[in-house]
């Protein structure tokens, strides 16, 4: 099994466990495998020696210290391993994606509030028929729903921003590794 297949299968299985930060675990194993390959070990043999995906997940669930060690290892890895160029590019990608997502989600939230406000003003200011009142009530309810979706998405950004950061850094490093491999050929 190669690294990509292993990480994809691990990610699929980890999605069933809400309390485990999938991206942190994936980043940890990706770095571990890359370090082994950099030291000259065979990638598939190293992955085989890690054990089955089920045994890895069982160990992760049982051992809360492991999660703490992963977080510490990831922080050390990010501060020590990432070169200047990769760090700058990954931070630019991280902040750009965070900015874009925040703008989009805030727009959804504000659209919902705008719909509530507009329907509320028509409801109060205009003389409307009973049918129009029901339409305006429906618009207010739709606005509440849209605003709640926007708010939930905004709240989710701040809960998952570390996962987003790790994902972007990992992908940036993979691009630079592939580029380095092509240059070495």
């Amino acid at each position: 099994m190669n690294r990509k297949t292993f990480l994809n299968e691990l990610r699929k299985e980890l999605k069933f466990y809400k309390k485990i930060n999938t991206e942190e675990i994936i980043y940890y194993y990706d770095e571990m495998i890359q370090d082994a390959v950099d030291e000259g070990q065979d990638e598939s043999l190293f992955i085989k020696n890690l054990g089955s995906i089920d045994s890895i997940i069982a160990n992760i669930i049982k051992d809360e210290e492991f999660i703490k060690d992963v977080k510490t290892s990831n922080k050390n890895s990010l501060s020590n391993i990432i070169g200047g160029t990769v760090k700058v590019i990954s931070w630019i990608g991280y902040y750009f994606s965070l900015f874009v997502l925040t703008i989009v989600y805030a727009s959804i939230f504000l659209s919902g509030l705008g719909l509530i406000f507009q329907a509320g003003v028509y409801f109060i200011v205009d003389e409307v028929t009973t049918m129009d009142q029901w339409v305006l009530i429906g618009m207010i309810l739709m606005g509440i729903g849209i605003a709640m979706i926007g708010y939930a998405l905004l709240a989710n950004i701040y809960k998952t921003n570390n996962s987003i950061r790790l994902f972007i850094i990992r992908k940036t490093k993979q691009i630079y590794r592939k580029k380095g491999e092509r240059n070495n050929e």
Side-chain angles (χ1 to χ4, degrees):
M1 177 181 311
N2 66 15
R3 175 178 40 215
K4 187 175 181 179
T5 306
F6 172 78
L7 295 176
N8 285 339
E9 286 183 19
L10 184 59
R11 177 179 280 113
K12 283 180 196 173
E13 292 299 319
L14 285 172
K15 290 192 181 211
F16 295 112
Y17 303 95
K18 301 290 183 202
K19 293 183 180 183
I20 297 174
N21 187 333
T22 302
E23 281 307 314
E24 285 203 0
I25 300 296
I26 295 298
Y27 183 81
Y28 174 80
Y29 278 100
D30 188 30
E31 285 300 310
M32 187 188 323
I33 294 167
Q34 183 60 43
D35 289 345
V37 170
D38 290 345
E39 292 173 4
Q41 295 183 32
D42 180 53
E43 183 178 281
S44 8
L45 182 61
F46 183 80
I47 291 170
K48 184 179 179 183
N49 290 335
L50 288 174
S52 70
I53 301 285
D54 293 335
S55 66
I56 290 171
I57 291 176
N59 289 333
I60 291 170
I61 293 169
K62 285 182 201 172
D63 192 3
E64 289 184 27
E65 273 307 303
F66 177 76
I67 300 293
K68 291 177 186 174
D69 291 344
V70 166
K71 289 181 181 184
T72 303
S73 172
N74 287 346
K75 286 179 185 174
N76 291 339
S77 172
L78 293 177
S79 59
N80 296 333
I81 295 175
I82 297 177
T85 306
V86 174
K87 189 180 261 184
V88 168
I89 290 172
S90 61
W91 280 110
I92 289 171
Y94 168 67
Y95 283 115
F96 180 74
S97 64
L98 196 61
F99 175 74
V100 168
L101 289 173
T102 302
I103 296 296
V104 169
Y105 297 162
S107 297
I108 293 170
F109 177 71
L110 293 174
S111 296
L113 292 181
L115 188 58
I116 294 168
F117 179 74
Q118 183 178 11
V121 167
Y122 284 137
F123 196 82
I124 294 169
V125 174
D126 286 348
E127 291 183 24
V128 291
T129 64
T130 305
M131 184 59 135
D132 290 340
Q133 287 176 347
W134 284 110
V135 169
L136 292 173
I137 290 171
M139 288 177 62
I140 290 171
L141 292 174
M142 283 179 20
I144 291 170
I146 292 170
M148 287 173 59
I149 290 169
Y151 177 78
L153 291 170
L154 281 169
N156 192 39
I157 283 178
Y158 296 105
K159 289 180 185 174
T160 61
N161 76 25
N162 190 43
S163 294
I164 294 168
R165 183 175 60 89
L166 287 172
F167 177 79
I168 290 172
I169 290 171
R170 192 165 51 79
K171 289 299 182 183
T172 306
K173 287 178 73 175
Q174 286 175 354
I175 290 168
Y176 271 87
R177 279 186 201 131
K178 286 180 184 175
K179 186 177 179 182
E181 289 170 3
R182 277 189 240 133
N183 290 339
N184 290 335
E185 292 177 348

